[in-house]
Amino acid sequence: MKKIALALAAVAGIAATGAQAQQNYPNRPITMIVPFAAGGPTDVVARIVTDHMSRTLGQQIVIENVAGAGGTTGITRAAQSQPDGYTIMMGHMGTHGAAPALYPNLKYDPTKDFAPIGMAAGTPILIVAKKDLPASDLKGFIEYVKTNADKVNQAHAGVGSVSHTTGVLFDSIVGTKPTMVAYRGTGPALNDLMAGTVDFMTDQIVNVAPQIQGGNIKAYAIATPERSPALPNVPTTKEAGLGDYQVSAWNAVFAPKGTPNDVVAKLNDALVKALADENTKKRLLDLGGVIPSAEEQSPEGLQKLVDSEVARWTPVLQAAGAKAE
Ligand code: ASP
């Protein structure tokens, strides 16, 4: 009897400290895993939103770049970490949408193994190329890629990443198969594009907008129905004659499954406040980012998005003949 009573008291004690720990959350720095190289689009979005989130939470959010396997290495690590709110992650359309179709042995299920916090930014896709590429518009570019398929190199951030999946989609619509060159993120890929050592890629606007504005790379089209206010001179794919190529990415904050509800609520509140902050919004908008709707900023909205993205990408990637190499 005594033993049981003691055991129960111990359990109650643990429960009490657990609840208290949640109440005091966060009382130490939080780590956000970014599953790509520093300086790329996911990293940029993560740094902009956590800058403001950390002020609301009263704790630093430290970004840890864990790149590899199209983002699935970092997300696997984050998914398997303690669900206590001290390790969170920036996932995206690739890691939480396309990856299951490409990695049969993926160690996480984007629809089940996370506590979604909310979407941080919509990131339209652009077709960009090194500035010396001879073609001056999308039609000319497509012709160039088709006639020079054996010498054209296409950069991407690993199988299952946004640049890979949207790149495969582009190639399948156009009917070309350039040589694919994998990077640990499109930050480093962009450096090579500027240096002219790779020819083109399809990438998220927040990474490429400053270099397009500065004339360091060429942009042939943006794959959204409307032009971006950040790049008013870049035509839409429809205007440029490739209306079938419509694709837009997103980046979103997740915690591991099992993260307590009140911790999720605090993180969501901090994200929503960041996205309502004028300066944070301006930083995202200047790069062409799209501020998510109130629904998309909610955990429920993000869960719905992940469910629909996994369902959407699987047949698209199978039809395009993409697989993990
Ligand atoms: N989002 C990735 C990055 O930050 C690139 C990608 O998914 O294409 O580099």
Side-chain angles (χ1 to χ4, degrees):
M1 252 331 247
K2 209 172 162 196
K3 250 192 194 157
I4 294 174
L6 274 177
L8 282 177
V11 169
I14 289 167
T17 29
Q20 211 169 37
Q22 280 168 42
Q23 243 168 40
N24 298 337
Y25 174 85
N27 57 14
R28 57 186 166 90
I30 297 166
T31 297
M32 175 180 272
I33 293 190
V34 165
F36 294 98
T42 302
D43 187 70
V44 164
V45 171
R47 284 175 204 272
I48 293 174
V49 298
T50 57
D51 207 17
H52 194 278
M53 284 176 76
S54 64
R55 275 180 261 161
T56 303
L57 294 164
Q59 286 292 340
Q60 216 191 333
I61 303 179
V62 182
I63 306 281
E64 194 184 333
N65 299 89
V66 183
T72 60
T73 304
I75 297 302
T76 301
R77 177 167 336 155
Q80 292 170 352
S81 62
Q82 275 303 328
D84 55 9
Y86 290 100
T87 306
I88 57 176
M89 72 206 86
M90 187 65 79
H92 77 346
M93 188 214 87
T95 59
H96 285 75
L102 296 166
Y103 292 92
N105 300 317
L106 194 64
K107 295 216 174 55
Y108 61 84
D109 179 341
T111 66
K112 292 201 185 101
D113 294 335
F114 299 89
I117 305 297
M119 199 207 282
T123 49
I125 296 297
L126 285 123
I127 304 160
V128 291
K130 65 178 183 188
K131 68 172 187 303
D132 299 338
L133 208 109
S136 59
D137 60 11
L138 185 63
K139 280 206 174 115
F141 172 67
I142 291 172
E143 225 174 85
Y144 178 86
V145 177
K146 286 173 101 164
T147 40
N148 296 284
D150 51 336
K151 64 170 198 207
V152 172
N153 294 321
Q154 178 175 6
H156 67 86
V159 171
S161 66
V162 164
S163 45
H164 172 258
T165 49
T166 61
V168 164
L169 190 63
F170 174 81
D171 294 341
S172 90
I173 291 176
V174 166
T176 181
K177 270 196 188 299
T179 304
M180 297 291 237
V181 185
Y183 290 82
R184 295 173 76 76
T186 52
L190 179 62
N191 289 337
D192 276 7
L193 196 68
M194 286 191 286
T197 50
V198 281
D199 298 305
F200 84 103
M201 66 177 170
T202 53
D203 194 19
Q204 299 168 71
I205 193 165
V206 293
N207 193 36
V208 291
Q211 302 306 339
I212 295 167
Q213 287 154 348
N216 298 322
I217 56 171
K218 273 183 179 171
Y220 289 118
I222 184 164
T224 43
E226 308 285 338
R227 292 186 182 205
S228 168
L231 296 168
N233 299 328
V234 176
T236 65
T237 43
K238 186 154 183 243
E239 289 169 329
L242 193 69
D244 282 352
Y245 188 61
Q246 292 287 330
V247 64
S248 197
W250 46 271
N251 289 269
V253 183
F254 296 86
K257 178 182 170 175
T259 303
N261 289 341
D262 47 352
V263 170
V264 168
K266 280 186 187 172
L267 287 165
N268 176 260
D269 172 65
L271 176 67
V272 169
K273 288 198 170 110
L275 295 174
D277 171 65
E278 285 310 319
N279 181 48
T280 307
K281 279 205 288 203
K282 185 174 184 313
R283 288 173 72 189
L284 288 169
L285 292 169
D286 283 351
L287 293 172
V290 177
I291 307 298
S293 66
E295 150 100 22
E296 289 167 333
Q297 288 176 29
S298 73
E300 302 73 32
L302 178 54
Q303 180 69 49
K304 263 195 225 156
L305 176 71
V306 170
D307 293 345
S308 69
E309 287 284 87
V310 171
R312 177 168 87 100
W313 277 103
T314 304
V316 168
L317 290 168
Q318 275 162 0
K323 357 178 201 345
E325 280 112 36

